[in-house]
Amino acid sequence: MSNVLLRDRVSLDGDWNVIVDPYDMGYVGILGDRTNRGFFRDFRPRHPGDRVEYDFDASPTLTVPGDWNTQDERLFYYEGTVWYRRKINVAPGWFEDGRVFLYVGAANHTSRVFLDGEELAIHVGGFSPFAVELTGRLDPGQHSLVIQVDNRREPDRIPAMRCDWWNFGGLTRAVELVSVPKIFLRHAWVTMSPSGAIIGGVEIDGADAPVELSIPACGIDTTVNPGERFEFAASPERWSPGAPVLHDVQWSCEDDQLIDEVGFRTVRTEGEKILVNDEVTFLRGISLHAEATHGGRRSQGADDASELYDHVERLGANFTRLAHYQHDEHMLREADRRGVLAWCEMPVYWSIAFDEPHVLENAIEQLDELILRDRSRASVIFWSIANETPNTPERTAFLSQLASRARQLDDTRLVSAALLTPPTAATDQHVDDPLGAAIDTVAVNQYLGWYYGERSDIATTTWSCPHGKPIIFTEFGAGAKAGRHGRPDEIWTEEFQAAVYEAQLVMINANRSDLGRGPVAGISPWILKDFRAPVRVLPGIQDGYNRKGLLSEEGDEKLAFNVLREFYQ
Ligand code: GCU
């Protein structure tokens, strides 16, 4: 279900009792078979002799939403299962008429949902929302809601065994009860096609019924058929970067009603250029992880989104790459309100099991969840299906299927993937990856002047690709410890990082497609802020942080922040 933020909700956020269960003994017996007396039963001793070897009431708590790693230092490196339990007290009259769903904004990585001891659902994917129907199960009185969350890395998971970010575990986004009428709008989306038409679709749940759609700004007040794509000619005032015009959109079906705020803009490519509202637009971007501006914790909710976009705006960026997984819905609604374009990505990152059919199945699930939630967001112009994956036939076949699935769900936006360019020091970089044929823009992560190449060669480097499509530098940059100063050739100093940016921006300026100089249509340097990463172990410098941020983990500006801001201004 989508548009949940537009609905009446009962929040289940707050302190939940938890049991840390590294051996999964709350779900399986000593021989690994599923036990019927697991923690999900939330048993209490029934008599003095009754042996129950766990007790949620007496167990510690963790705050939801939130990662467990930064709430309890004993869980900082923990990868395994944690059981969350919350009592729900249902008052008489609640949920009597309609239907009720449990909505989890995100739970990393795999989670099972139990109500009153019964297993109701499993969800695989750490960054996307899911809903579980509880209709008829929440009679007045107290109920036990248990969610088993396991953030283990596994070779057949997405992402798989290695990533350059912290594997934050837990119920990392809001958990809510959502009540809807018997017949409700499960999905309802509207946006603008590249040709400027108002297009969209609606899916209802419960029974067949006509859906009323009203968009006053487009002069649209009509009935649309569920399951069918609709298309109308209209010319509302456009949403554009820096001018975020949003219009009321009202959906109603039987007793259900949704009122959304939607911007209408077109996006397309023309050769090596990207056009927004038919205007050649250079993407002045920045990459972000979903990490809060303070405390190195998983970000979530409206306040974190607002703080992160405050920095984006200070930088003068018109584009954000939300890496490498689905970010909180609040981020996209904030981008809509602030007029900043967005790149949304699913966590097919580095190597995954591209030859496993069940992995492709889950990839499609995660892609669907990425697109179905944010299809009405004007800010979103890219669906990215992967980051830095090996150039093998299995991978290209796997990702080509994802690209066509993305277009099936939404052919109004650009489909892309961040490619790993072979680290050559050459000053004539040619990006020749077969995946380039399946995507609309060739996104390149290049680290000239950091992982490879001489800084002195950067400025004169030229770029090309055989597909005649726009190239976007979805990553470039260098590491620096905030407050560490020295000569520009001294690594980890702010001066070193700033010098890499200066050289890169000279090169980028010389290759810009909006200025007719080359194939580069945009950039999203790596990265807005230092972020936690277990692979970054250099004492006194990294200490568990990737230091390529333009801001420190506490928001202190490094010199390179101003180098980029001046370029954007
Ligand atoms: C890669 C990767 C990022 C990583 C970055 C780095 O390109 O996509 O996730 O953090 O490089 O090495 O800093």
Side-chain angles (χ1 to χ4, degrees), residues 163-165 289 321 324 349-350 387-388 420 445 447 450-451 475 526 531 536 546 548:
C163 59
D164 189 22
W165 69 81
H289 261 296
R321 177 183 178 214
H324 292 295
Y349 179 93
W350 291 346
N387 179 74
E388 294 193 351
L420 190 61
N445 294 355
Y447 279 94
W450 182 254
Y451 287 130
E475 291 183 34
W526 195 254
F531 60 94
R536 306 294 170 174
N546 181 310
K548 294 194 182 69

Side-chain angles (χ1 to χ4, degrees), residues 31 70 73 134 180 243 262 354 409 499 523 553-554:
L31 302 180
T70 56
E73 61 190 18
L134 304 181
V180 293
V262 176
F354 290 109
L409 290 173
I523 59 175
E553 69 273 25
E554 290 304 325

Side-chain angles (χ1 to χ4, degrees), residues 128-362:
S128 39
F130 61 97
V132 181
E133 179 144 24
L134 304 181
T135 308
R137 296 175 183 278
L138 288 178
D139 305 333
Q142 192 170 68
H143 298 269
S144 162
L145 174 64
V146 172
I147 306 182
Q148 175 198 24
V149 184
D150 138 29
N151 75 333
R152 288 181 185 82
R153 286 168 293 118
E154 303 283 359
D156 65 343
R157 284 186 172 178
I158 300 173
M161 295 309 287
R162 269 167 295 288
C163 59
D164 189 22
W165 69 81
W166 209 269
N167 184 22
F168 291 113
L171 296 172
T172 54
R173 292 189 197 135
V175 179
E176 300 160 306
L177 294 175
V178 185
S179 48
V180 293
K182 287 198 171 51
I183 301 172
F184 74 98
L185 298 152
R186 179 172 276 277
H187 294 296
W189 64 286
V190 61
T191 190
M192 187 170 256
S193 70
S195 62
I198 304 294
I199 68 135
V202 60
E203 193 192 307
I204 54 175
D205 190 319
D208 246 348
V211 174
E212 304 305 316
L213 170 63
S214 163
I215 315 177
C218 298
I220 293 173
D221 193 358
T222 183
T223 303
V224 291
N225 299 323
E228 286 171 27
R229 183 169 146 136
F230 59 75
E231 182 156 343
F232 301 106
S235 39
E237 191 184 351
R238 296 283 182 93
W239 180 101
S240 56
V245 177
L246 299 175
H247 300 290
D248 281 351
V249 173
Q250 187 166 325
W251 308 89
S252 37
C253 171
E254 303 285 322
D255 302 331
D256 198 17
Q257 194 181 54
L258 289 171
I259 299 177
D260 201 356
E261 284 192 305
V262 176
F264 297 106
R265 53 92 199 95
T266 64
V267 63
R268 60 188 174 86
T269 64
E270 205 171 88
E272 295 170 337
K273 297 185 171 76
I274 292 175
L275 291 86
V276 177
N277 293 327
D278 300 317
E279 268 183 43
V280 176
T281 302
F282 182 75
L283 305 179
R284 308 188 313 268
I286 189 70
S287 294
L288 289 85
H289 261 296
E291 207 174 281
T293 49
H294 298 283
R297 61 174 171 77
R298 210 12 119 220
S299 61
Q300 52 77 27
D303 295 347
D304 283 350
S306 176
E307 280 181 25
L308 287 165
Y309 271 97
D310 283 347
H311 288 301
V312 169
E313 278 196 332
R314 251 173 354 93
L315 196 55
N318 67 2
F319 174 57
T320 43
R321 177 183 178 214
L322 305 182
H324 292 295
Y325 37 75
Q326 187 164 14
H327 284 224
D328 192 307
E329 184 172 345
H330 288 283
M331 288 293 281
L332 285 314
R333 289 188 177 271
E334 192 67 27
D336 266 18
R337 279 191 293 271
R338 298 206 186 202
V340 180
L341 300 162
W343 162 295
C344 295
E345 185 163 289
M346 61 176 297
V348 173
Y349 179 93
W350 291 346
S351 288
I352 68 164
F354 290 109
D355 52 358
E356 291 282 353
H358 72 281
V359 174
L360 177 62
E361 215 179 294
N362 181 245

